Amino acid sequence: MEDILHNLEVIRQRIDRACLRSERDRETVKLLMATKTVSSERIKLALQAGENLIGENKVQELKEKYDDLRAIPHQAHFIGHLQSGRIKEVIRYADCIQSIDRWEIAEKLQRRLEYEDKTIDIFMQVNTSYEASKFGVAPTQAIQLAKELKTLDRLQLKGLMTIGLFSSEQEKVRKCFQLLKSIQEQLKENDIQLDDLSMGMSGDLETAIEEGSTIVRVGTAIFGKRIYPDSYYWNEGI
Ligand SMILES: *Cc1c(COP(=O)(O)O)cnc(C)c1O
């Protein structure tokens, strides 16, 4: 169990160094712990060590851990693929949904939030690697979808999220992050100002920070290897 504390220390140092190297203020980069398949006990250790942000891929897991973790101040983001049958639950258990990637789901979310008289923070997920296996709006459609999302008053669009290319070639991964950054800049020219860029994981967080990430999502490097198929890894959801 103490491996978690050690791993956290290593991750914090990696973030510190990446910020130094890219001359960024350390305060501008948050660590989100990707906690899929991790037990509440292990998540608690990390939260008690001073972290305050987790991300889950399945609504079911978010729900199961909610009671166990609610006594410890933290925020839970939903980072998996969202299906309409799970909207009711996700707005109950998540503080933010990072994976909004299509109008249909956003519109259903808006209706439900109206019904409950609530609002929720969202990010728009962009498929910057153009891989068919990944979710996210196509980069060419991103400006249009962001404009449409802005018309839904119960959804507070805070940023953009992407999963970089799964490759050991950092320069290819970097292209994905640069693309997300450029979409943020194009949106600004369209009067849509988004503060957050959620990008970078265990293997590529330094590159992501160099390219402007404000939230790195780290699982394996904190909690160790998970054992399950890749489809679950890359935000299959449910
Ligand atoms: C699992 C997951 C992460 C973390 O990936 P690691 O390589 O384990 O750090 C980040 N983002 C999403 C959407 C994930 O599903």
Side-chain angles (χ1 to χ4, degrees), residues 32-36 55-57 79-80 98 125 161-163 166 198 200-204 216-222 224 226 228 232-236:
L32 175 148
M33 303 187 296
T35 49
K36 56 181 176 273
E56 286 288 351
N57 292 61
I79 60 174
Q98 288 202 6
Q125 180 176 353
M161 186 271 257
T162 199
I163 296 169
F166 196 44
S198 173
M201 304 179 297
S202 293
D204 54 25
V216 290
R217 309 179 308 268
V218 181
T220 314
I222 299 172
R226 299 170 295 264
Y228 50 73
Y232 180 16
Y233 188 31
W234 301 125
N235 81 356
E236 172 203 304

mmCIF file of all heavy atoms in Angstrom, residues 32-36 55-57 79-80 98 125 161-163 166 198 200-204 216-222 224 226 228 232-236, ligand 1:
data_model
loop_
_atom_site.group_PDB
_atom_site.id
_atom_site.type_symbol
_atom_site.label_atom_id
_atom_site.label_comp_id
_atom_site.label_asym_id
_atom_site.label_seq_id
_atom_site.Cartn_x
_atom_site.Cartn_y
_atom_site.Cartn_z
ATOM 1 N N LEU A 32 -5.066 14.701 -11.777
ATOM 2 C CA LEU A 32 -6.284 13.909 -11.615
ATOM 3 C C LEU A 32 -5.852 12.448 -11.557
ATOM 4 O O LEU A 32 -5.117 11.980 -12.421
ATOM 5 C CB LEU A 32 -7.236 14.144 -12.795
ATOM 6 C CG LEU A 32 -8.515 13.289 -12.839
ATOM 7 C CD1 LEU A 32 -9.660 14.070 -13.480
ATOM 8 C CD2 LEU A 32 -8.320 11.977 -13.590
ATOM 9 N N MET A 33 -6.269 11.759 -10.518
ATOM 10 C CA MET A 33 -5.897 10.352 -10.387
ATOM 11 C C MET A 33 -6.951 9.492 -11.088
ATOM 12 O O MET A 33 -8.132 9.522 -10.718
ATOM 13 C CB MET A 33 -5.788 9.982 -8.905
ATOM 14 C CG MET A 33 -4.782 10.870 -8.164
ATOM 15 S SD MET A 33 -4.493 10.322 -6.480
ATOM 16 C CE MET A 33 -6.111 10.545 -5.749
ATOM 17 N N ALA A 34 -6.528 8.773 -12.118
ATOM 18 C CA ALA A 34 -7.444 7.898 -12.853
ATOM 19 C C ALA A 34 -7.594 6.610 -12.031
ATOM 20 O O ALA A 34 -6.662 5.823 -11.935
ATOM 21 C CB ALA A 34 -6.903 7.609 -14.244
ATOM 22 N N THR A 35 -8.773 6.432 -11.446
ATOM 23 C CA THR A 35 -8.937 5.404 -10.422
ATOM 24 C C THR A 35 -9.759 4.186 -10.866
ATOM 25 O O THR A 35 -10.234 3.423 -10.022
ATOM 26 C CB THR A 35 -9.575 6.019 -9.157
ATOM 27 O OG1 THR A 35 -10.718 6.785 -9.558
ATOM 28 C CG2 THR A 35 -8.601 6.922 -8.445
ATOM 29 N N LYS A 36 -9.931 4.012 -12.174
ATOM 30 C CA LYS A 36 -10.689 2.836 -12.614
ATOM 31 C C LYS A 36 -10.046 1.564 -12.094
ATOM 32 O O LYS A 36 -8.817 1.449 -12.105
ATOM 33 C CB LYS A 36 -10.806 2.811 -14.138
ATOM 34 C CG LYS A 36 -9.496 2.853 -14.884
ATOM 35 C CD LYS A 36 -9.759 2.839 -16.389
ATOM 36 C CE LYS A 36 -8.488 2.983 -17.171
ATOM 37 N NZ LYS A 36 -8.091 4.368 -17.395
ATOM 38 N N GLY A 55 -10.726 10.510 -11.241
ATOM 39 C CA GLY A 55 -11.497 10.342 -12.466
ATOM 40 C C GLY A 55 -11.887 8.892 -12.621
ATOM 41 O O GLY A 55 -11.064 7.999 -12.446
ATOM 42 N N GLU A 56 -13.165 8.647 -12.927
ATOM 43 C CA GLU A 56 -13.640 7.277 -13.140
ATOM 44 C C GLU A 56 -14.155 7.132 -14.564
ATOM 45 O O GLU A 56 -14.700 8.075 -15.146
ATOM 46 C CB GLU A 56 -14.774 6.940 -12.169
ATOM 47 C CG GLU A 56 -14.327 6.707 -10.729
ATOM 48 C CD GLU A 56 -13.571 5.389 -10.511
ATOM 49 O OE1 GLU A 56 -13.530 4.555 -11.433
ATOM 50 O OE2 GLU A 56 -13.021 5.213 -9.398
ATOM 51 N N ASN A 57 -14.045 5.928 -15.101
ATOM 52 C CA ASN A 57 -14.502 5.647 -16.464
ATOM 53 C C ASN A 57 -15.875 5.018 -16.541
ATOM 54 O O ASN A 57 -16.486 5.015 -17.596
ATOM 55 C CB ASN A 57 -13.551 4.685 -17.172
ATOM 56 C CG ASN A 57 -12.220 5.312 -17.445
ATOM 57 O OD1 ASN A 57 -11.534 5.700 -16.505
ATOM 58 N ND2 ASN A 57 -11.856 5.430 -18.696
ATOM 59 N N ILE A 79 -14.580 10.368 -16.765
ATOM 60 C CA ILE A 79 -13.679 10.453 -17.921
ATOM 61 C C ILE A 79 -13.922 9.325 -18.926
ATOM 62 O O ILE A 79 -13.155 9.143 -19.860
ATOM 63 C CB ILE A 79 -12.190 10.484 -17.489
ATOM 64 C CG1 ILE A 79 -11.796 9.214 -16.698
ATOM 65 C CG2 ILE A 79 -11.883 11.723 -16.651
ATOM 66 C CD1 ILE A 79 -10.299 9.127 -16.371
ATOM 67 N N GLY A 80 -14.991 8.544 -18.722
ATOM 68 C CA GLY A 80 -15.292 7.443 -19.638
ATOM 69 C C GLY A 80 -16.318 7.864 -20.684
ATOM 70 O O GLY A 80 -16.866 8.967 -20.645
ATOM 71 N N GLN A 98 -15.921 14.910 -18.338
ATOM 72 C CA GLN A 98 -14.866 15.353 -19.268
ATOM 73 C C GLN A 98 -15.024 14.800 -20.680
ATOM 74 O O GLN A 98 -14.229 15.116 -21.558
ATOM 75 C CB GLN A 98 -13.492 14.922 -18.745
ATOM 76 C CG GLN A 98 -13.005 15.694 -17.539
ATOM 77 C CD GLN A 98 -11.489 15.637 -17.394
ATOM 78 O OE1 GLN A 98 -10.784 15.119 -18.257
ATOM 79 N NE2 GLN A 98 -10.991 16.171 -16.294
ATOM 80 N N GLN A 125 -14.551 16.304 -25.316
ATOM 81 C CA GLN A 125 -13.476 15.370 -25.668
ATOM 82 C C GLN A 125 -13.233 15.397 -27.165
ATOM 83 O O GLN A 125 -14.164 15.256 -27.968
ATOM 84 C CB GLN A 125 -13.822 13.945 -25.211
ATOM 85 C CG GLN A 125 -12.721 12.936 -25.559
ATOM 86 C CD GLN A 125 -12.993 11.523 -25.028
ATOM 87 O OE1 GLN A 125 -13.957 11.305 -24.280
ATOM 88 N NE2 GLN A 125 -12.155 10.586 -25.422
ATOM 89 N N MET A 161 -10.686 17.943 -23.556
ATOM 90 C CA MET A 161 -9.987 16.745 -23.088
ATOM 91 C C MET A 161 -9.576 15.907 -24.299
ATOM 92 O O MET A 161 -10.313 15.840 -25.283
ATOM 93 C CB MET A 161 -10.915 15.927 -22.181
ATOM 94 C CG MET A 161 -10.255 14.739 -21.508
ATOM 95 S SD MET A 161 -10.298 13.203 -22.450
ATOM 96 C CE MET A 161 -11.619 12.332 -21.592
ATOM 97 N N THR A 162 -8.405 15.307 -24.207
ATOM 98 C CA THR A 162 -8.034 14.355 -25.245
ATOM 99 C C THR A 162 -7.174 13.232 -24.682
ATOM 100 O O THR A 162 -6.547 13.378 -23.628
ATOM 101 C CB THR A 162 -7.290 15.027 -26.425
ATOM 102 O OG1 THR A 162 -7.369 14.156 -27.563
ATOM 103 C CG2 THR A 162 -5.816 15.308 -26.119
ATOM 104 N N ILE A 163 -7.205 12.109 -25.381
ATOM 105 C CA ILE A 163 -6.310 10.994 -25.093
ATOM 106 C C ILE A 163 -5.324 10.979 -26.258
ATOM 107 O O ILE A 163 -5.726 10.803 -27.411
ATOM 108 C CB ILE A 163 -7.094 9.668 -25.047
ATOM 109 C CG1 ILE A 163 -8.102 9.695 -23.900
ATOM 110 C CG2 ILE A 163 -6.138 8.483 -24.900
ATOM 111 C CD1 ILE A 163 -9.107 8.546 -23.917
ATOM 112 N N PHE A 166 -1.524 6.461 -28.571
ATOM 113 C CA PHE A 166 -0.852 5.504 -27.697
ATOM 114 C C PHE A 166 0.400 5.038 -28.422
ATOM 115 O O PHE A 166 0.369 4.101 -29.210
ATOM 116 C CB PHE A 166 -1.801 4.351 -27.395
ATOM 117 C CG PHE A 166 -1.360 3.517 -26.228
ATOM 118 C CD1 PHE A 166 -0.899 4.109 -25.061
ATOM 119 C CD2 PHE A 166 -1.414 2.128 -26.291
ATOM 120 C CE1 PHE A 166 -0.494 3.339 -23.970
ATOM 121 C CE2 PHE A 166 -1.006 1.348 -25.206
ATOM 122 C CZ PHE A 166 -0.550 1.961 -24.057
ATOM 123 N N SER A 198 -7.310 19.096 -20.532
ATOM 124 C CA SER A 198 -7.070 17.842 -19.823
ATOM 125 C C SER A 198 -6.349 16.903 -20.777
ATOM 126 O O SER A 198 -6.958 16.328 -21.686
ATOM 127 C CB SER A 198 -8.411 17.258 -19.365
ATOM 128 O OG SER A 198 -8.238 15.975 -18.812
ATOM 129 N N GLY A 200 -2.530 14.284 -21.141
ATOM 130 C CA GLY A 200 -1.327 13.731 -20.533
ATOM 131 C C GLY A 200 -1.692 12.654 -19.531
ATOM 132 O O GLY A 200 -2.634 12.817 -18.754
ATOM 133 N N MET A 201 -0.966 11.530 -19.600
ATOM 134 C CA MET A 201 -1.195 10.396 -18.724
ATOM 135 C C MET A 201 0.145 9.890 -18.201
ATOM 136 O O MET A 201 1.157 10.573 -18.344
ATOM 137 C CB MET A 201 -1.953 9.319 -19.472
ATOM 138 C CG MET A 201 -3.255 9.858 -20.041
ATOM 139 S SD MET A 201 -4.184 8.638 -20.948
ATOM 140 C CE MET A 201 -3.029 8.317 -22.220
ATOM 141 N N SER A 202 0.144 8.684 -17.641
ATOM 142 C CA SER A 202 1.368 8.172 -17.021
ATOM 143 C C SER A 202 2.584 8.284 -17.938
ATOM 144 O O SER A 202 3.664 8.664 -17.506
ATOM 145 C CB SER A 202 1.201 6.704 -16.632
ATOM 146 O OG SER A 202 0.261 6.591 -15.597
ATOM 147 N N GLY A 203 2.389 7.943 -19.217
ATOM 148 C CA GLY A 203 3.532 7.853 -20.114
ATOM 149 C C GLY A 203 3.908 9.145 -20.819
ATOM 150 O O GLY A 203 4.988 9.233 -21.411
ATOM 151 N N ASP A 204 3.006 10.125 -20.806
ATOM 152 C CA ASP A 204 3.277 11.301 -21.636
ATOM 153 C C ASP A 204 2.954 12.627 -20.940
ATOM 154 O O ASP A 204 2.751 13.644 -21.597
ATOM 155 C CB ASP A 204 2.507 11.181 -22.960
ATOM 156 C CG ASP A 204 1.015 10.934 -22.759
ATOM 157 O OD1 ASP A 204 0.491 11.304 -21.692
ATOM 158 O OD2 ASP A 204 0.376 10.381 -23.667
ATOM 159 N N VAL A 216 -3.413 16.698 -15.753
ATOM 160 C CA VAL A 216 -2.883 15.425 -16.235
ATOM 161 C C VAL A 216 -3.639 14.307 -15.517
ATOM 162 O O VAL A 216 -3.936 14.401 -14.335
ATOM 163 C CB VAL A 216 -1.348 15.292 -16.020
ATOM 164 C CG1 VAL A 216 -0.601 16.240 -16.944
ATOM 165 C CG2 VAL A 216 -0.948 15.535 -14.571
ATOM 166 N N ARG A 217 -3.996 13.270 -16.262
ATOM 167 C CA ARG A 217 -4.796 12.166 -15.716
ATOM 168 C C ARG A 217 -3.894 10.938 -15.590
ATOM 169 O O ARG A 217 -3.495 10.358 -16.588
ATOM 170 C CB ARG A 217 -5.978 11.862 -16.646
ATOM 171 C CG ARG A 217 -6.814 13.089 -17.019
ATOM 172 C CD ARG A 217 -7.953 12.686 -17.955
ATOM 173 N NE ARG A 217 -7.496 11.922 -19.101
ATOM 174 C CZ ARG A 217 -7.151 12.442 -20.269
ATOM 175 N NH1 ARG A 217 -7.248 13.738 -20.479
ATOM 176 N NH2 ARG A 217 -6.733 11.666 -21.249
ATOM 177 N N VAL A 218 -3.593 10.573 -14.365
ATOM 178 C CA VAL A 218 -2.583 9.536 -14.153
ATOM 179 C C VAL A 218 -3.147 8.358 -13.362
ATOM 180 O O VAL A 218 -3.701 8.533 -12.276
ATOM 181 C CB VAL A 218 -1.361 10.125 -13.410
ATOM 182 C CG1 VAL A 218 -0.293 9.060 -13.210
ATOM 183 C CG2 VAL A 218 -0.789 11.317 -14.172
ATOM 184 N N GLY A 219 -3.031 7.170 -13.946
ATOM 185 C CA GLY A 219 -3.505 5.954 -13.275
ATOM 186 C C GLY A 219 -2.359 5.024 -12.928
ATOM 187 O O GLY A 219 -1.902 4.943 -11.784
ATOM 188 N N THR A 220 -1.871 4.328 -13.939
ATOM 189 C CA THR A 220 -0.848 3.301 -13.764
ATOM 190 C C THR A 220 0.353 3.743 -12.922
ATOM 191 O O THR A 220 0.816 2.997 -12.063
ATOM 192 C CB THR A 220 -0.322 2.849 -15.148
ATOM 193 O OG1 THR A 220 -1.450 2.634 -15.997
ATOM 194 C CG2 THR A 220 0.475 1.575 -15.039
ATOM 195 N N ALA A 221 0.842 4.929 -13.174
ATOM 196 C CA ALA A 221 2.056 5.365 -12.473
ATOM 197 C C ALA A 221 1.809 5.605 -10.987
ATOM 198 O O ALA A 221 2.752 5.699 -10.207
ATOM 199 C CB ALA A 221 2.626 6.623 -13.127
ATOM 200 N N ILE A 222 0.548 5.659 -10.580
ATOM 201 C CA ILE A 222 0.241 5.803 -9.149
ATOM 202 C C ILE A 222 -0.193 4.464 -8.547
ATOM 203 O O ILE A 222 0.279 4.059 -7.492
ATOM 204 C CB ILE A 222 -0.881 6.853 -8.915
ATOM 205 C CG1 ILE A 222 -0.452 8.224 -9.430
ATOM 206 C CG2 ILE A 222 -1.240 6.928 -7.420
ATOM 207 C CD1 ILE A 222 -1.563 9.280 -9.406
ATOM 208 N N GLY A 224 -0.317 1.329 -10.151
ATOM 209 C CA GLY A 224 0.224 0.104 -10.732
ATOM 210 C C GLY A 224 -0.589 -0.363 -11.922
ATOM 211 O O GLY A 224 -1.619 0.232 -12.268
ATOM 212 N N ARG A 226 -3.047 -2.251 -14.443
ATOM 213 C CA ARG A 226 -4.383 -2.850 -14.388
ATOM 214 C C ARG A 226 -4.396 -4.033 -15.345
ATOM 215 O O ARG A 226 -3.647 -4.065 -16.304
ATOM 216 C CB ARG A 226 -5.442 -1.841 -14.874
ATOM 217 C CG ARG A 226 -5.550 -0.592 -14.077
ATOM 218 C CD ARG A 226 -6.447 0.402 -14.797
ATOM 219 N NE ARG A 226 -5.882 0.824 -16.052
ATOM 220 C CZ ARG A 226 -5.180 1.940 -16.212
ATOM 221 N NH1 ARG A 226 -4.968 2.749 -15.208
ATOM 222 N NH2 ARG A 226 -4.692 2.255 -17.397
ATOM 223 N N TYR A 228 -6.896 -5.758 -17.776
ATOM 224 C CA TYR A 228 -8.142 -5.884 -18.530
ATOM 225 C C TYR A 228 -7.877 -5.376 -19.934
ATOM 226 O O TYR A 228 -6.862 -4.752 -20.202
ATOM 227 C CB TYR A 228 -9.294 -5.122 -17.869
ATOM 228 C CG TYR A 228 -8.953 -3.714 -17.519
ATOM 229 C CD1 TYR A 228 -8.826 -2.750 -18.510
ATOM 230 C CD2 TYR A 228 -8.726 -3.342 -16.195
ATOM 231 C CE1 TYR A 228 -8.481 -1.461 -18.204
ATOM 232 C CE2 TYR A 228 -8.382 -2.044 -15.884
ATOM 233 C CZ TYR A 228 -8.260 -1.118 -16.897
ATOM 234 O OH TYR A 228 -7.916 0.158 -16.589
ATOM 235 N N TYR A 232 -11.429 -1.208 -22.468
ATOM 236 C CA TYR A 232 -11.869 -0.664 -21.197
ATOM 237 C C TYR A 232 -10.954 0.486 -20.806
ATOM 238 O O TYR A 232 -11.369 1.558 -20.378
ATOM 239 C CB TYR A 232 -11.849 -1.772 -20.147
ATOM 240 C CG TYR A 232 -12.279 -1.346 -18.766
ATOM 241 C CD1 TYR A 232 -12.975 -0.154 -18.555
ATOM 242 C CD2 TYR A 232 -12.010 -2.134 -17.658
ATOM 243 C CE1 TYR A 232 -13.358 0.234 -17.296
ATOM 244 C CE2 TYR A 232 -12.393 -1.757 -16.396
ATOM 245 C CZ TYR A 232 -13.060 -0.562 -16.216
ATOM 246 O OH TYR A 232 -13.437 -0.185 -14.964
ATOM 247 N N TYR A 233 -9.669 0.281 -21.032
ATOM 248 C CA TYR A 233 -8.683 1.313 -20.748
ATOM 249 C C TYR A 233 -9.062 2.635 -21.407
ATOM 250 O O TYR A 233 -9.112 3.685 -20.792
ATOM 251 C CB TYR A 233 -7.345 0.804 -21.296
ATOM 252 C CG TYR A 233 -6.143 1.625 -20.945
ATOM 253 C CD1 TYR A 233 -6.063 2.327 -19.750
ATOM 254 C CD2 TYR A 233 -5.058 1.679 -21.808
ATOM 255 C CE1 TYR A 233 -4.937 3.054 -19.431
ATOM 256 C CE2 TYR A 233 -3.931 2.398 -21.498
ATOM 257 C CZ TYR A 233 -3.876 3.093 -20.311
ATOM 258 O OH TYR A 233 -2.759 3.798 -20.009
ATOM 259 N N TRP A 234 -9.312 2.559 -22.715
ATOM 260 C CA TRP A 234 -9.551 3.807 -23.448
ATOM 261 C C TRP A 234 -11.015 4.183 -23.478
ATOM 262 O O TRP A 234 -11.664 4.131 -24.484
ATOM 263 C CB TRP A 234 -8.938 3.722 -24.840
ATOM 264 C CG TRP A 234 -7.488 3.480 -24.732
ATOM 265 C CD1 TRP A 234 -6.792 2.460 -25.300
ATOM 266 C CD2 TRP A 234 -6.539 4.222 -23.980
ATOM 267 N NE1 TRP A 234 -5.480 2.547 -24.934
ATOM 268 C CE2 TRP A 234 -5.291 3.616 -24.132
ATOM 269 C CE3 TRP A 234 -6.635 5.362 -23.158
ATOM 270 C CZ2 TRP A 234 -4.142 4.115 -23.510
ATOM 271 C CZ3 TRP A 234 -5.489 5.841 -22.541
ATOM 272 C CH2 TRP A 234 -4.273 5.223 -22.736
ATOM 273 N N ASN A 235 -11.507 4.475 -22.422
ATOM 274 C CA ASN A 235 -12.829 5.003 -22.064
ATOM 275 C C ASN A 235 -14.085 4.398 -22.708
ATOM 276 O O ASN A 235 -14.989 5.072 -23.126
ATOM 277 C CB ASN A 235 -12.820 6.524 -21.936
ATOM 278 C CG ASN A 235 -12.906 7.401 -23.161
ATOM 279 O OD1 ASN A 235 -12.917 6.926 -24.271
ATOM 280 N ND2 ASN A 235 -13.041 8.648 -22.923
ATOM 281 N N GLU A 236 -14.141 3.121 -22.671
ATOM 282 C CA GLU A 236 -15.317 2.402 -23.134
ATOM 283 C C GLU A 236 -16.590 2.833 -22.384
ATOM 284 O O GLU A 236 -17.657 2.954 -22.969
ATOM 285 C CB GLU A 236 -15.115 0.907 -22.952
ATOM 286 C CG GLU A 236 -16.353 0.076 -23.223
ATOM 287 C CD GLU A 236 -16.269 -1.273 -22.517
ATOM 288 O OE1 GLU A 236 -15.292 -1.985 -22.745
ATOM 289 O OE2 GLU A 236 -17.171 -1.568 -21.733
HETATM 290 C C1 LIG B 1 -7.006 5.130 -17.667
HETATM 291 C C2 LIG B 1 -7.095 6.477 -18.197
HETATM 292 C C3 LIG B 1 -6.093 7.424 -17.921
HETATM 293 C C4 LIG B 1 -4.829 7.090 -17.161
HETATM 294 O O1 LIG B 1 -4.000 6.298 -17.929
HETATM 295 P P1 LIG B 1 -2.629 5.716 -17.332
HETATM 296 O O2 LIG B 1 -1.829 5.377 -18.515
HETATM 297 O O3 LIG B 1 -2.978 4.544 -16.484
HETATM 298 O O4 LIG B 1 -2.009 6.805 -16.533
HETATM 299 C C5 LIG B 1 -6.288 8.695 -18.412
HETATM 300 N N1 LIG B 1 -7.394 9.039 -19.124
HETATM 301 C C6 LIG B 1 -8.361 8.161 -19.407
HETATM 302 C C7 LIG B 1 -9.551 8.605 -20.176
HETATM 303 C C8 LIG B 1 -8.235 6.852 -18.962
HETATM 304 O O5 LIG B 1 -9.191 5.971 -19.261
#
